[in-house]
Structure formats: C-alpha cells, structure tokens
Amino acid sequence: MPSNDTLTAVGRLKVGHAETAGGRSGCTVILPDGGAVAGVDIRGGAPGTCGTESLNPVNLVDRVHGVFFSGGSAFGIATADGVRRFLKERSVGFATEYGVVPTVAGAVIFDLGINKDGPTPDAALGMEACLQAHAGPVAQGCVGAGCGATIGKLYGLRQATKGGLGSSFIHTERNVRVGALVVVNPFGDVVDPRSGRILAGCRESPESRRFVHTAQAMARLERLRGFSGNGNTVLAAVATNVRLNKTDLTKVAQMAHDGLARVVVPCHTQVDGDTIFALSTEERDPVDVSIVGMLAAQAVEKAILRAVLSARARGGLPAARDLADDLPEP
C-alpha cells in the first residue's frame, strides 16, 4: 500500500479536522492550493448546503477556495465563516478592487442526536480545522465531520451503528489521479458490494448485534417512522488532477453518486441530504470526463467502506467492528 492513498495524494490539496469538546461533533476542511475548479451534485431530499449555487456552470465564479463538511445541522454552516476568514487573512480568494473574497462551499450533517446538549461547530472550529490542514494522509474514522456520524436510523438513533469519515485514492497507469473524502451518516445501511452483507446499519434493538435490513423492512411499510430528529446524509468530495471545467466536474459529481448507491441501501431518500462536490487541481491534460466520473464512483465506494471499517464506538453506539469479528482492515 502506498504511504498515502487518501484524497491528498491527488496533489495540491490539504485536509484538516477539528472536533468539539467531548468529540461528538466536528468539521473537516479541504483547502486546494490557490483554489480549484469545482462542481456539485445534490441527490438527497433534505440537503444542508452552503455556497453550492456558485458552482453552477452558468454562474460567474470559476473556482472554490475552500470546501467544508460539518456536523451541527444548520448551526454547522457557521464553520464557513472561519474558513473564509482563514483564507482572507492569507489573501486567497476571488480578486476584487476591494480585496479578495474567498469562495467557500460546503455541507452539513445532522448529528444533534448523538451530540445532545453539546456544542456545535462554529467559525472558531472552522478556523481550527484550517490551521490543522496538511497534505499528508487524511485521518479517518470518528474524526472531523465524522465525529457524530451514524448509520441506519429506520427505528431511531438508539438502534443505529456508528458512522465516520473515510478517504481513498486511485492512480491509473496514465497518471490520472482521483481521490475521495466521504462523511458517512445515512438513513440506510452500508453493505459490502461484493457479498451484499450489511456492515453497519439499523439493529434489531439497542442491545442487538443483528441488523434489521432497512430496505426489506421499508418494503413492508406505508409510512416511515422512528427517524424524526435523527437526520441523515452522506457528504463527499472527489478530486482529480485532470483539467476539467465546471460543466465536466458537475458530471463527475453526478457519476460519483453511483459509488454511494453501490454501498448505501437505500440512498438518496427524502430524509437524506446526499451531496457530492468535485474538484480539479488542473495539473494534467484533459481526459474523457466519463473516465474520471467512473473512477470517482469507485473512489467514493472505497471511501465509504473505509469510513465504516475505521469507525469506533461513541455516544453509546457500537461500530461495525463491535458487531462482527471477521471484518477486513480499512
């Protein structure tokens, strides 16, 4: 295995994590060197996002200077202020005659259940994550925005499994580099795409080690129940060294959702906020966007599995490794 097989191996990217007191919520920032061309695709029915409209290909801004993922639901959007201040102090941003204005985009997960009565990420935490950002391997598991992530909430938070943050990297023989960073907090289960085995999800009871199988249980219902107040979302950023424009990157973000769909069952529900950003560091001549999109989907799939396998018990919820003894290493 290479020394770094996470998002930052793409090059020209730094990633930083910070967490609240008690470690049940946090934020993660991605800082591209000098900014990056970007696109976004939102598939969930309940997104919590910031700055995504600026990434629309028809709009003026041509690059993003920082991307953040945060816990805290809508309160976590305050993280953006800290990221923006960090960038402005370093003269990074969209140039105007009155100084630079950093373009910051991001999204949040709902972790107020596991972080009940705890502090939520704010501008100071966003600044701290920026200060911690580095180009080395990305820490995974219950870190940053993954601190409060949970999986499988058909019957409420008490029967869920602990989620987290994962990252991956793919490098082809033609020097196409694609990486992913994912915060795994879905309503549905996470399954092994090879066997269909549930790795993390809704359990039969708060004490059980056995999974319900959310999709099968939903098929017997007319109305969902038990998920109110236990918000759900998978957030991801994929990045490539291939030079692509905003339209191309929007397509890459769309295709990257295929990786999510292969391992999260069900996904893109009305109660999820699934959102994927795509970034280009523009270091390699263009290749077909379909190739990059295919690799992005593979990277997202791999990163989700790593998030689950790297997670540890927190907030009274077991992780996948507490429920099975024969799981592979992340």
Side-chain angles (χ1 to χ4, degrees):
M1 181 179 293
S3 58
N4 184 5
D5 63 344
T6 63
L7 178 75
T8 49
V10 171
R12 295 187 59 244
L13 297 170
K14 294 181 180 179
V15 171
H17 302 305
E19 60 187 60
T20 60
R24 296 194 182 184
S25 190
C27 63
T28 296
V29 298
I30 302 168
L31 302 177
D33 183 14
V37 183
V40 66
D41 187 68
I42 301 169
R43 296 288 173 96
T49 60
C50 171
T52 52
E53 189 56 32
S54 65
L55 306 185
N56 188 315
V58 304
N59 290 336
L60 173 66
V61 172
D62 66 346
R63 61 188 53 235
V64 66
H65 303 99
V67 174
F68 74 92
F69 294 146
S70 180
S73 188
F75 300 108
I77 291 176
T79 301
D81 294 334
V83 179
R84 192 173 291 110
R85 187 169 69 247
F86 174 88
L87 293 167
K88 180 175 175 56
E89 289 175 357
R90 288 154 181 80
S91 300
V92 176
F94 182 79
T96 78
E97 60 182 305
Y98 305 106
V100 299
V101 179
T103 300
V104 176
V108 299
I109 66 168
F110 187 112
D111 58 4
L112 301 181
I114 196 170
N115 189 39
K116 185 178 180 181
D117 301 324
T120 55
D122 56 14
L125 205 69
M127 172 68 81
E128 178 62 25
C130 291
L131 292 170
Q132 296 298 323
H134 60 83
V138 177
Q140 301 177 73
C142 299
V143 296
C147 283
T150 53
I151 300 167
K153 284 152 279 188
L154 177 65
Y155 296 142
L157 186 62
R158 294 181 66 229
Q159 289 172 236
T161 307
K162 188 68 185 71
L165 181 148
S167 189
S168 68
F169 174 66
I170 296 172
H171 189 192
T172 75
E173 62 185 23
R174 292 185 176 271
N175 194 33
V176 174
R177 300 185 177 202
V178 177
L181 182 151
V182 184
V183 182
V184 184
N185 183 62
F187 173 76
D189 303 323
V190 173
V191 304
D192 183 331
R194 296 161 295 186
S195 65
R197 173 190 180 186
I198 297 175
L199 301 176
C202 180
R203 294 172 292 123
E204 292 181 347
S205 73
E207 297 77 29
S208 179
R209 292 166 57 98
R210 293 170 56 87
F211 296 113
V212 168
H213 199 301
T214 296
Q216 292 181 7
M218 286 175 65
R220 297 191 291 268
L221 302 175
E222 290 187 0
R223 295 286 186 273
L224 296 181
R225 63 183 187 275
F227 62 85
S228 179
N230 301 301
N232 321 282
T233 288
V234 174
L235 304 177
V238 296
T240 180
N241 65 333
V242 175
R243 187 179 304 111
L244 298 172
N245 60 33
K246 288 172 71 175
T247 301
D248 293 335
L249 289 163
T250 300
K251 184 61 181 178
V252 169
Q254 289 176 352
M255 292 182 68
H257 276 281
D258 292 349
L260 194 165
R262 287 196 283 264
V263 292
V264 178
V265 182
C267 66
H268 304 148
T269 72
Q270 194 67 2
V271 295
D272 281 288
D274 301 333
T275 301
I276 297 183
F277 295 85
L279 311 176
S280 168
T281 62
E282 302 179 281
E283 293 184 295
R284 188 203 185 282
D285 290 339
V287 301
D288 194 299
V289 68
S290 296
I291 295 172
V292 179
M294 175 197 68
L295 295 171
Q298 293 176 1
V300 166
E301 176 183 337
K302 184 177 179 181
I304 292 173
L305 295 176
R306 283 186 170 179
V308 170
L309 296 173
S310 300
R312 295 294 182 265
R314 187 170 292 187
L317 295 179
R321 293 199 168 277
D322 302 308
L323 303 174
D325 301 322
D326 58 345
L327 297 179
E329 289 302 311

